[in-house]
């Protein structure tokens, strides 16, 4: 009795919680003495009668120590004691404490490339093939053509990369690496147990075609949604690249002139100044087109155009026309500034593409250098031929009330949308976003914010609204944001600074400081657009998925 009681204590979960090492009871054979063979018809009480003394002893042991009765040799399987339930509240507390004091676990493997799509409109693409794609080379060639088209139309490096990843993942290529360096795109496909394939494409030309960029964005969305196969995608991309631009060339030239006239009225010029700016900017566009046919480098083409618009304003001043030459020149300066390139370069630098950003910044700064060089040459030439000293300090603000100025801003942005070949459905929303940015700019200026910070604040709002509207209408954010911020750029400051540097030699320091301030404002506007895009991302996660659901229903 004492031995059985001791064995029972040893089997208790409180005294021996791990009874694995304990000797299991021996299962007797049918002929073992003391084991009764029960028939199916035997009652339960009669069937368990040989074990009655064991049950009685188990009750006594349970009353004494609360342990489980010893195993009966007649059982077919061994009996394992139940483990004690842990206190869940203590486990939760330990888990929380471990999270607070334990460092982040290092990754055990490289991040999947498809995870780069998180936060983009192409997140969670639908894979259209179940196994390895036998036409991998055709998919790679299509992805390269897609990337080249997007770069030619002005897309940023992050948007190009996410589009390539979404397309290749949807067409069944998982082991893809993408490398974007300024003008070149490299794709490497290395499937398991297969020879790697690497393809390269260099982009050597650019054009203004925001409508085409919007259609490419919609094509990538349809591919990621699973509604377009590879053959259809190749056909649609070829159709996009060969499709005419939405506006004819003569309308673009007229839009340049109307934009310049509206900008002159916006910054304080009169009707005559707007008319002269309209004519000079049309001449600048015609000259730029001819220089492009002659394959003149962009630096010299920009310098020549800036010199022409400056000399026309000086000539009108020499003829004693009642205008302000500085205000007349501003419209042409804003047209020649590489605004889209600056925004894309800033976006690439922030999003982790330093080499591409450096190349685009260098290209944009060369255009800016050509702009200020052309202004300087025209000013020096005007002084040599006897043009009287210009009045570049008079600026009393706009001559019109605020609602009329808001209309001028709306018209100017609509015209720059035409010049950038924006899709017709996006012109009015883009103009409204720019007008909202102007109203915020006026409010911030009236509150006493400095002239450097006010454009950046307005650019943040424009960037946020541009992302919301662009995703809702199936377009990239850049297409809406770049035309909407055109009125914020400091064209008047650039002209005044160059006049001080070239003509007013006694205030050369002020001219250098003014030129530096203009560069600071330009970069602040570009950074504000990118900041607004990132601030709006948490609020626009469902917009792209909703757009893809609507496309799926179609």
């Amino acid at each position: 009795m004492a031995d059985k009681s001791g064995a029972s204590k040893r089997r208790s979960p409180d005294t021996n919680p791990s009874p694995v090492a304990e000797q299991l009871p021996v299962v007797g054979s049918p002929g073992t003495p003391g084991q009764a063979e029960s028939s199916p018809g035997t009652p339960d009480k009669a069937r368990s009668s040989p074990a009655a003394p064991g049950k009685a002893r188990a009750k006594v042991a349970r009353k004494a120590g609360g342990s489980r009765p010893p195993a009966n040799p007649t059982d077919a399987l061994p009996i394992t004691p139940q483990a004690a339930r842990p206190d869940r509240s203590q486990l939760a507390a330990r888990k929380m404490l471990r999270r607070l004091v334990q460092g982040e676990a290092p990754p055990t493997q490289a991040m999947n490339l498809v995870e780069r799509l998180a936060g983009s409109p192409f997140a969670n693409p639908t894979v259209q093939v179940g196994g390895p794609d036998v036409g991998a080379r055709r998919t790679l060639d299509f992805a390269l053509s897609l990337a080249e088209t997007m770069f030619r139309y002005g897309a940023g490096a992050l948007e190009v990369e996410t589009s390539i990843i979404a397309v290749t993942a949807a067409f069944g290529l998982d082991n893809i690496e993408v490398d974007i360096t300024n003008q070149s795109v490299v794709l490497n496909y290395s499937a398991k147990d297969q020879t790697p394939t690497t393809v390269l494409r260099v982009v050597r030309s650019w054009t203004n075609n925001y409508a085409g960029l919007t259609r490419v964005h919609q094509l990538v969305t349809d591919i990621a949604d699973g509604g377009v196969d590879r053959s259809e995608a190749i056909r649609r991309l070829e159709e996009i690249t060969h499709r005419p631009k939405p506006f004819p060339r003569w309308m673009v030239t007229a839009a340049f002139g109307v934009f310049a006239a509206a900008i002159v009225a916006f910054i304080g010029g009169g009707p005559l100044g707007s008319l002269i700016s309209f004519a000079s900017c049309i001449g600048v566009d015609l000259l730029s087109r001819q220089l492009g046919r002659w394959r003149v480098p962009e630096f010299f083409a920009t310098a020549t155009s800036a010199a022409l618009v400056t000399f026309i304003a000086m000539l009108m001043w020499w003829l004693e026309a009642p205008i302000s030459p500085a205000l007349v020149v501003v419209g042409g300066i804003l047209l020649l500034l590489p605004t889209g390139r600056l925004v894309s370069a800033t976006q690439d630098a922030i999003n982790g593409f330093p080499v591409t950003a450096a190349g685009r910044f260098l290209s944009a700064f060369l255009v800016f250098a050509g702009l200020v060089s052309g202004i300087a040459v025209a000013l020096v030439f005007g002084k040599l031929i006897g043009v009287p000293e210009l009045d570049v300090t008079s600026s009393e603000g706009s001559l019109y009330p605020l609602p009329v100025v808001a209309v001028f801003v709306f018209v100017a942005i609509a015209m720059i949308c035409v010049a950038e070949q924006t899709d017709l459905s996006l012109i009015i929303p883009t103009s409204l976003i720019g007008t909202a940015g102007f109203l915020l700019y006026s409010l911030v200026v009236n509150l006493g914010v400095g002239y450097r910070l006010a454009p950046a604040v307005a650019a943040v709002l424009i960037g946020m609204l541009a992302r919301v509207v662009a995703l809702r209408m199936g377009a990239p954010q850049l297409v809406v944001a770049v035309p909407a911020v055109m009125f914020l750029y400091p064209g008047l400051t650039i002209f005044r600074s160059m006049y001080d540097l070239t003509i007013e030699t006694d205030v050369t320091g002020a001219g250098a400081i003014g030129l530096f301030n203009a560069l600071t404002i330009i970069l602040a506007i570009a950074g504000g657009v990118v900041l607004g895009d990132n601030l709006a991302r948490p609020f626009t996660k469902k917009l792209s998925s909703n757009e893809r659901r609507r496309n799926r229903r179609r």
Side-chain angles (χ1 to χ4, degrees):
M1 186 74 176
D3 295 340
K4 292 180 180 180
S5 186
S8 176
K9 290 180 180 180
R10 285 194 302 271
R11 300 175 73 89
S12 172
D14 300 330
T15 58
N16 186 15
S18 180
V20 177
E22 185 178 342
Q23 184 177 2
L24 295 175
V26 180
V27 180
S29 60
T32 304
Q35 180 177 359
E37 193 79 32
S38 60
S39 61
T42 308
D44 292 341
K45 293 183 179 179
R47 210 182 315 170
S48 60
S49 58
K55 288 187 177 181
R57 287 194 297 271
K59 290 181 180 179
V60 174
R62 197 178 295 115
K63 290 180 180 179
S67 60
R68 194 177 183 87
N72 196 330
T74 61
D75 295 338
L77 293 174
I79 298 176
T80 304
Q82 296 180 354
R85 290 185 177 180
D87 190 355
R88 295 193 175 184
S89 61
Q90 293 182 1
L91 289 177
R94 290 175 185 172
K95 189 175 181 180
M96 180 62 68
L97 181 62
R98 190 180 298 113
R99 287 181 178 179
L100 292 176
V101 301
Q102 193 176 31
E104 184 179 0
T108 57
Q109 60 182 356
M111 182 184 71
N112 190 356
L113 192 63
V114 181
E115 295 181 10
R116 289 280 290 171
L117 299 178
S120 72
F122 318 121
N124 303 320
T126 301
V127 180
Q128 301 182 19
V129 293
D133 188 1
V134 295
R137 181 55 192 264
R138 293 190 64 195
T139 301
L140 293 177
D141 291 339
F142 169 74
L144 279 181
S145 300
L146 183 78
E148 180 186 12
T149 303
M150 296 181 71
F151 265 128
R152 289 187 68 245
Y153 293 165
L158 180 62
E159 185 180 358
V160 174
E161 184 191 55
T162 54
S163 299
I164 292 174
I165 296 172
V167 167
T168 53
F171 289 154
L173 302 187
D174 295 332
N175 303 301
I176 285 286
E177 289 295 336
V178 183
D179 183 26
I180 298 175
T181 306
N182 195 13
Q183 308 176 225
S184 62
V185 181
V186 181
L187 299 182
N188 177 265
Y189 174 60
S190 55
K192 188 177 181 181
D193 300 330
Q194 293 185 16
T195 303
T197 303
T198 302
V199 290
L200 168 69
R201 187 71 56 86
V202 178
V203 183
R204 294 183 174 89
S205 62
W206 290 266
T207 183
N208 296 331
N209 193 354
Y210 280 173
L213 184 59
T214 301
R215 296 188 188 99
V216 172
H217 179 90
Q218 294 170 354
L219 172 61
V220 177
T221 302
D222 294 340
I223 294 174
D225 188 45
V228 178
D229 59 8
R230 187 175 55 205
S231 301
E232 177 68 14
I234 294 174
R235 186 193 64 78
R236 285 181 56 179
L237 181 61
E238 186 176 359
E239 180 184 349
I240 291 172
T241 55
H242 290 84
R243 186 171 182 175
K245 295 180 180 180
F247 303 103
R249 187 63 198 179
W250 66 267
M251 189 177 294
V252 173
T253 302
F256 277 133
V258 176
F259 169 80
I263 287 296
V264 170
F266 161 68
I267 62 177
L272 182 59
S274 296
L275 182 61
I276 295 174
S277 182
F278 173 83
S280 63
C281 284
I282 287 180
V284 165
D285 181 66
L286 296 176
L287 175 63
S288 300
R289 195 188 313 175
Q290 186 61 45
L291 294 175
R293 293 194 189 101
W294 291 343
R295 304 292 183 182
V296 177
E298 188 178 17
F299 176 87
F300 298 108
T302 304
T304 305
S305 300
L308 176 63
V309 70
T310 304
F311 185 75
I312 290 176
M314 295 175 65
L315 183 62
M316 292 296 105
W317 176 259
W318 195 8
L319 297 176
E320 298 182 355
I323 62 169
S324 175
L327 301 182
V328 173
V329 175
V330 169
I333 291 177
L334 294 185
L335 285 175
L336 296 173
L337 280 176
T339 54
R341 209 173 306 174
L342 284 169
V343 174
S344 297
T346 306
Q347 191 175 31
D348 293 342
I350 293 175
N351 291 328
F353 297 91
V355 179
T356 304
R360 290 190 171 186
F361 272 127
L362 178 60
S363 175
F365 286 148
L366 281 177
V367 174
F368 183 80
L371 173 65
V372 297
S373 299
I375 295 174
V377 169
L379 290 174
V380 172
F381 181 74
K383 185 178 181 180
L384 290 177
I385 63 176
V387 175
E389 183 177 350
L390 303 181
D391 183 13
V392 298
T393 59
S394 61
S395 178
E396 300 177 356
S398 180
L399 304 176
Y400 307 95
L402 183 64
V404 178
V405 177
V407 172
F408 286 145
V409 172
F410 182 92
V411 172
I413 296 173
M415 292 301 101
I416 206 63
C417 287
V418 174
E420 296 288 350
Q421 298 287 351
T422 305
D423 191 80
L424 189 61
S425 62
L426 288 171
I427 293 180
I428 293 180
T430 303
S431 303
L432 291 175
I433 290 174
T435 306
F438 163 70
L439 295 177
L440 178 63
Y441 172 80
S442 301
L443 176 63
V444 171
V445 170
N446 291 331
L447 292 177
V449 179
Y451 68 95
R452 295 188 188 94
L453 184 59
V457 174
V460 172
L461 176 65
I462 291 174
M464 294 180 65
L465 295 178
R467 179 173 180 85
V468 174
V469 172
L471 288 182
R472 189 172 292 275
M473 301 190 68
Q477 186 253 8
L478 194 73
V479 170
V480 179
V482 170
V485 297
M486 284 290 293
F487 72 96
L488 293 173
Y489 285 98
L492 186 59
T493 303
I494 294 173
F495 181 79
R496 287 174 175 173
S497 302
M498 289 310 302
Y499 187 83
D500 291 338
L501 282 173
T502 55
I503 303 301
E504 301 289 342
T505 55
D506 54 340
V507 289
T508 303
I513 294 175
L515 196 61
F516 175 78
N517 289 335
L519 283 173
T520 303
I521 295 172
I522 291 173
L523 293 178
I525 293 171
V529 171
V530 179
L531 176 60
D533 179 44
N534 285 271
L535 290 177
R537 287 194 176 190
F539 308 101
T540 56
K541 286 183 177 180
K542 295 182 179 180
L543 287 181
S544 58
S545 60
N546 293 337
E547 179 66 22
R548 290 170 62 180
R549 289 194 197 100
R550 287 194 293 268
N551 293 338
R552 192 180 296 117
R553 294 192 191 103
R554 293 171 190 168

